[in-house]
Amino acid sequence: MMEMKSAPISNSERIVTIDIIRGFALLGIFLVNMPAFHSPAFMVSYPDYSGVNYWLDLLFQMFVQTKFYTIFSFLFGLGFYIFMSRAEQKGLKINRLFSRRLFALLLFGALHIVFLWYGDILHTYAITGFLLLLFYKRKPKTLLIWAFSLLFIFHALISAPFLIPATEMESIAAGLDQEEAAKLGEYVDMYENAPYLEWVSYRLQTEMGRLLANLPFALFNILALFLFGLYAGKRGVFKDVSAHLPMIKKVWWTALILSIPLVTFLALYKMDVIDVGVYQQNAIYLFTSLSGLTLCFFYISSLTLMLRREFWQRFLRPLGYTGQMALTNYLLQTFISVGIFLGLNFYGKVSLATGTLICLVIYAAQTLFSYVWMKNFRFGPFEWLWRTMTYGYIQSMKKEEKLSNSNRQDTGV
């Protein structure tokens, strides 16, 4: 008996709801990332906006910041379950297969972060994904216990500064402000004027240390969201939405009720209506993170319920095409943005509002590109490369291509 080769999921087996939610998350992530593409956000932790930019920043903080990478993290955990369960049904070596998938993702992330942009999330997902392998066989209840425990630890850590005396906090904040101010001019100059290789070298020296130091801290939150996604996969929530409507509606109401006070307090802190002095930014960070979790589940459950109606299926379907090739579009957002702001010398010269408009135009173009591409091909370009590296043989790309050997038929993984 010939060995069956592993292969990716076929289009007929895709869950369109997941693709649309992923496309929606991709837009939110781009909106959040855009200021870091056109401005020195790495060095200016808390930019001082005015006019329309102030209100736009407030809206972003309330409804966008941390609300979308959490959705992506949830979907990664869900995708992990779909991948592993389908591979397991075919008798494949699931841990080895998924490990190859993670190593390929880690390579993409490493190249992305070194040669293009410090805000890469792929390397974090890849590293955290290896921890996810420990939970595949765990019971759904166990996954929830771990997820909530990790969230508690994460938010306890980001609340720790409230225990530091105000005088010490003032000293720490002053030191950080001085450090940022001292390096800001050099940082902007390198981004605006340095040759490419010199720019890469400077970034590695200036940005990499802080990014690596933050990595263990980020694992708590991201792994928790992975586990929620794995839980949803084990429960079959998106496989049979109708059977899980009571639970989805319960999540929707719970997320909404929790989000209202969290977002309200976040706005009050952000607008300085509530002032806790030197702890102000810590309070904003805490409520941004907490509201990011609740709105993440509010957005996911809202879209899931909306997509039960044919009107919303048709209206939001274009997001599904961008979601199907999310890796390609995520990386394209960096290529395009770096090309515009560094290549065309617009870095530091674009306001938050203008950057947001540019972001929306690029995303609209990506949606059209994704629609045309997915009409002709089975995968996006980087999805094709990722799958080829995962499964160990070149995937057929065009939709009309048929695998000549019956043993290379799509296994639904």
Side-chain angles (χ1 to χ4, degrees), residues 79-99:
F80 164 77
Y81 175 77
I82 294 172
F83 182 96
M84 296 286 279
S85 60
R86 284 176 171 150
E88 190 174 35
Q89 289 171 10
K90 300 299 177 181
L92 304 175
K93 296 179 179 179
I94 56 176
N95 286 345
R96 186 175 71 177
L97 196 63
F98 193 72
S99 294

Side-chain angles (χ1 to χ4, degrees), residues 132-183:
L132 194 55
L133 287 168
L134 303 174
F135 293 92
Y136 177 62
K137 297 293 186 179
R138 298 296 185 98
K139 296 178 180 178
K141 183 179 179 180
T142 304
L143 299 178
L144 289 184
I145 293 172
W146 270 94
F148 281 111
S149 299
L150 289 167
L151 288 178
F152 176 81
I153 294 171
F154 176 78
H155 288 93
L157 289 172
I158 66 176
S159 301
F162 292 108
L163 302 177
I164 301 174
T167 53
E168 291 187 31
M169 279 295 293
E170 289 175 357
S171 177
I172 293 171
L176 291 174
D177 289 343
Q178 289 176 1
E179 182 182 355
E180 288 181 353
K183 292 183 178 180

Side-chain angles (χ1 to χ4, degrees), residues 308-365:
R308 288 176 52 76
R309 298 183 178 275
E310 187 176 346
F311 168 79
W312 289 111
Q313 289 180 17
R314 292 198 307 269
F315 183 75
L316 297 175
R317 186 64 184 92
L319 295 178
Y321 296 112
T322 60
Q324 273 185 263
M325 44 192 293
L327 176 61
T328 293
N329 282 317
Y330 172 74
L331 294 173
L332 276 178
Q333 287 169 1
T334 300
F335 297 147
I336 295 170
S337 299
V338 170
I340 291 174
F341 298 116
L342 272 64
L344 300 180
N345 198 29
F346 286 116
Y347 187 81
K349 302 177 177 65
V350 174
S351 68
L352 181 63
T354 302
T356 301
L357 289 175
I358 293 172
C359 170
L360 294 175
V361 170
I362 294 173
Y363 186 83

